[in-house]
């Protein structure tokens, strides 16, 4: 079956969209690592961390291109879980970006109809002819032309036929299996803070020592000094020794409880809900013309595709993360919502405004606290009335009470 684009000698839409989107992903990921990791490509960042730092579009691109695990394998970065599954061999973002930019520049010089309307890996002759001997050397270093092509989603031809050589590809990939299992020279040197070094000095991990160092770590490295870090966070800040001590000698939950910290699952969900409510508030303020108001007559929450089309990429990612528009709407629908379809959006708008106000007050309260704090507590009625939040108290009481509202935000009541 011959498609219109092939007959016209044009690169198909899905193919060039993937190519451009992947290039954008690599560029934004490199910029993110430069901003928050000093340019280090050792660990692939967590999507929740990316969102918390205000890079929702990057998080959405990661999701579109297969998620963090697949991308970490392609880019030779360590998984955030700490499990080493990388077998594809060496790769750098800088090389990938330069190669894709080279391919893009070559296509910009072409005019249709193209003989082969497909985005393919450039040959050694193409690179040398354009003065890119540096890329030639890096292609060899990173596993060869076919291996690089597969990792970057490029078509590859052996120069003799239009068929891909599967045997050559499997052989090239197998050369790199187990590479990360071989310790580099000097890797046997133990860091000062490692468990091994402690034992040699006669200082073993105790529960008291773990809690003391955990609290010091949290005070320096976490956005709030009452949040329990995820295990991958320790590796990213060169404190694998502390992570191992918690995991091997104790249990994360018991140490978290003993240190008086809020568990990761609790605070991360709360922060993501707060980010979602904030983005929804911004989106509603953005919808000012009649057409958009009509489109939202039955729901003030957009689909992720509509949010993305309006350049609200972080909102689109968060809606997907929470299960889609219907799930988000259910999350913020309370007993005070009118059953009438035309009035329901206005009731939900009020609900979300109140939820945002309440979550913001809870977050402000957390900022002033220090351990021990084991949960995110909902402001009490007395505290709200003292702060002149009378309307908020009335809304809570009309919405099923403090217990019902607190449950929706994952907070506890006194």
């Amino acid at each position: 079956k011959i498609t219109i684009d092939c007959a016209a000698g044009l690169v198909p839409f899905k193919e060039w969209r993937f190519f451009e989107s992947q290039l954008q992903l690599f560029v934004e990921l490199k910029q993110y690592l430069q901003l928050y990791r000093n340019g280090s490509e050792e660990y692939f960042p967590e999507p929740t961390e990316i969102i918390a730092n205000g890079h929702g579009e990057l998080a959405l691109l990661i999701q579109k291109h297969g998620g963090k695990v697949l991308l970490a394998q392609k880019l030779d970065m360590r998984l955030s879980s700490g499990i080493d599954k990388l077998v594809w061999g060496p790769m750098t973002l800088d090389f990938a970006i330069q190669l894709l930019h080279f391919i893009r520049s070559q296509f910009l010089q072409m005019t249709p109809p193209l003989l082969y309307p497909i985005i393919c890996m450039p040959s050694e002759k193409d690179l040398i002819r354009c003065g890119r001997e540096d890329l030639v050397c890096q292609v060899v270093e990173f596993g060869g032309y076919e291996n690089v092509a597969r990792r970057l989603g490029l078509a590859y031809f052996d120069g003799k036929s239009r068929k891909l050589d599967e045997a050559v590809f499997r052989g090239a990939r197998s050369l790199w299996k187990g590479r990360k299992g071989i310790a580099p020279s000097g890797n046997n040197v133990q860091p000062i803070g490692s468990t091994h070094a402690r034992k040699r000095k006669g200082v073993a991990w105790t529960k008291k020592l773990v809690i003391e160092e955990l609290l010091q770590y949290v005070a320096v490295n976490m956005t709030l000094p009452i949040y329990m870090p995820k295990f991958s966070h320790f590796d990213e800040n060169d404190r694998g020794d502390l992570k191992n001590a918690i995991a091997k000698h104790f249990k994360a939950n018991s140490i978290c409880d003993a240190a008086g910290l809020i568990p990761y699952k609790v605070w991360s969900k709360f922060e993501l809900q707060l980010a979602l409510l904030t983005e929804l508030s911004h989106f509603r303020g953005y919808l000012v013309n009649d057409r958009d108001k009509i489109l939202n007559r039955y729901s003030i929450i957009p689909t992720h595709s509509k949010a993305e089309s309006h350049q609200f990429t972080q909102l689109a990612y968060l809606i997907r993360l929470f299960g889609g528009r219907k799930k988000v709407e259910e999350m913020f629908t309370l007993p005070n919502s009118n059953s009438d379809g035309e009035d329901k959006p206005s009731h939900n708008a009020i609900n979300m405004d109140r939820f945002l106000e309440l979550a913001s007050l809870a977050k402000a309260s957390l900022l002033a606290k220090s351990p021990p704090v084991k949960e995110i507590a909902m402001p009490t009625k007395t505290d709200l009335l003292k702060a002149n939040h009378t309307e908020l108290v009335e809304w809570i009481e009309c919405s099923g009470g403090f217990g019902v509202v607190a449950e929706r935000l994952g907070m506890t009541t006194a």
Side-chain angles (χ1 to χ4, degrees):
K1 183 179 178 180
I2 300 176
T3 59
I4 295 297
D5 45 27
C6 289
L10 301 175
V11 177
F13 170 74
K14 288 184 178 180
E15 186 170 344
W16 68 256
R17 183 178 62 173
F18 168 83
F19 177 85
E20 294 286 352
S21 177
Q22 181 177 236
L23 177 55
Q24 181 186 359
L25 165 63
F26 290 162
V27 170
E28 292 198 16
L29 180 58
K30 183 175 178 62
Q31 291 174 348
Y32 181 89
L33 294 174
Q34 288 173 339
L35 283 172
Y36 300 100
R37 304 286 180 82
N38 294 321
S40 172
E41 297 181 17
E42 184 177 2
Y43 290 96
F44 198 91
E46 286 285 338
T48 50
E49 172 203 328
I50 293 171
I51 292 173
N53 288 325
H55 295 265
E57 186 170 356
L58 174 58
L60 187 61
L61 285 168
I62 290 171
Q63 186 182 48
K64 282 184 174 180
H65 284 269
K68 63 177 183 179
V69 175
L70 177 62
L71 288 171
Q73 290 176 340
K74 285 185 175 183
L75 298 172
D76 194 36
M77 299 173 71
R78 297 179 66 180
L79 300 175
S80 59
S81 61
I83 302 173
D84 196 353
K85 294 182 179 179
L86 310 180
V87 296
W88 288 34
M91 175 66 70
T92 65
L93 275 171
D94 190 56
F95 164 73
I97 292 168
Q98 286 192 51
L99 182 63
L100 295 180
H101 270 307
F102 173 84
I103 296 170
R104 193 173 188 274
S105 66
Q106 296 301 300
F107 269 87
L108 288 174
Q109 298 175 31
M110 300 178 184
T111 55
L114 303 180
L115 180 60
Y116 298 122
I118 188 170
I119 301 176
C120 58
M121 178 75 185
S123 66
E124 181 179 356
K125 291 181 179 179
D126 294 333
L127 293 172
I128 293 175
R129 185 175 64 249
C130 297
R132 296 308 306 265
E133 289 84 356
D134 57 325
L135 289 180
V136 173
C137 295
Q138 290 181 80
V139 168
V140 175
E141 179 186 352
F142 297 148
Y145 287 84
E146 189 164 5
N147 197 25
V148 170
R150 291 301 184 87
R151 292 167 74 172
L152 298 180
L154 304 170
Y156 173 78
F157 306 110
D158 59 9
K160 300 177 182 179
S161 68
R162 294 280 293 172
K163 295 182 179 179
L164 295 171
D165 192 336
E166 293 290 337
V168 172
F169 170 69
R170 288 195 297 270
R173 182 176 175 181
S174 67
L175 292 174
W176 303 105
K177 287 188 177 180
R179 183 183 64 86
K180 282 188 171 288
I182 303 173
S185 58
N187 196 51
N188 57 344
V189 178
Q190 295 291 331
I192 297 299
S194 70
T195 305
H196 180 72
R198 288 178 180 277
K199 287 183 177 180
R200 285 195 306 172
K201 292 181 179 181
V203 180
W205 282 111
T206 63
K207 190 170 185 178
K208 181 181 177 181
L209 182 59
V210 168
I211 292 173
E212 288 177 356
E213 296 216 8
L214 175 60
L215 291 175
Q216 291 176 7
Y217 176 88
V218 166
V220 174
N221 296 287
M222 299 299 290
T223 54
L224 288 183
I226 53 177
Y227 284 171
M228 178 68 183
K230 195 176 181 181
F231 270 180
S232 60
H233 198 277
F234 292 107
D235 289 323
E236 292 163 5
N237 290 281
D238 296 323
R239 286 308 308 269
D241 62 310
L242 182 55
K243 179 198 76 171
N244 292 335
I246 295 172
K248 292 180 180 179
H249 303 293
F250 311 98
K251 289 185 178 180
N253 290 339
S254 65
I255 290 295
C256 177
D257 185 67
L261 300 175
I262 300 173
Y264 170 78
K265 288 185 178 180
V266 175
W267 69 256
S268 62
K269 183 179 180 181
F270 173 77
E271 291 284 357
L272 288 170
Q273 282 183 320
L274 180 57
L276 173 63
L277 288 165
T278 303
E279 287 294 315
L280 284 170
S281 178
H282 293 163
F283 186 80
R284 293 203 333 269
Y286 170 78
L287 298 178
V288 294
N289 61 68
D290 292 337
R291 178 174 177 273
D292 284 321
K293 287 180 180 178
I294 291 171
L295 288 173
N296 284 269
R297 186 172 64 179
Y298 299 108
S299 176
I300 61 171
I301 301 170
T303 60
H304 62 81
S305 57
K306 184 180 179 183
E308 189 176 350
S309 69
H310 284 277
Q311 305 303 314
F312 281 79
T313 52
Q314 183 164 345
L315 176 58
Y317 178 83
L318 288 168
I319 290 172
R320 280 182 174 177
L321 189 67
F322 282 97
R325 180 177 67 180
K326 289 185 179 180
K327 291 289 185 181
V328 173
E329 193 170 33
E330 289 172 5
M331 189 189 309
F332 301 122
T333 299
L334 290 168
N336 65 10
S337 299
N338 199 316
S339 59
D340 187 346
E342 293 185 355
D343 293 333
K344 187 176 179 181
S346 60
H347 279 279
N348 282 348
I350 295 172
N351 285 344
M352 283 191 288
D353 286 340
R354 295 304 188 194
F355 270 125
L356 178 58
E357 183 182 1
L358 189 58
S360 299
L361 288 172
K363 178 67 178 290
S365 176
L366 290 175
L367 290 170
K369 293 182 178 180
S370 57
V373 182
K374 299 181 181 180
E375 55 193 17
I376 301 175
M378 181 170 170
T380 63
K381 181 177 179 179
T382 303
D383 292 336
L384 292 174
L385 290 175
K386 282 183 179 179
N388 296 319
H389 292 290
T390 307
E391 292 184 358
L392 184 57
V393 171
E394 292 175 354
W395 171 79
I396 292 171
E397 292 177 341
C398 292
S399 302
F402 279 76
V404 172
V405 174
E407 185 181 1
R408 297 299 175 92
L409 288 174
M411 297 191 292
T412 60
T413 54

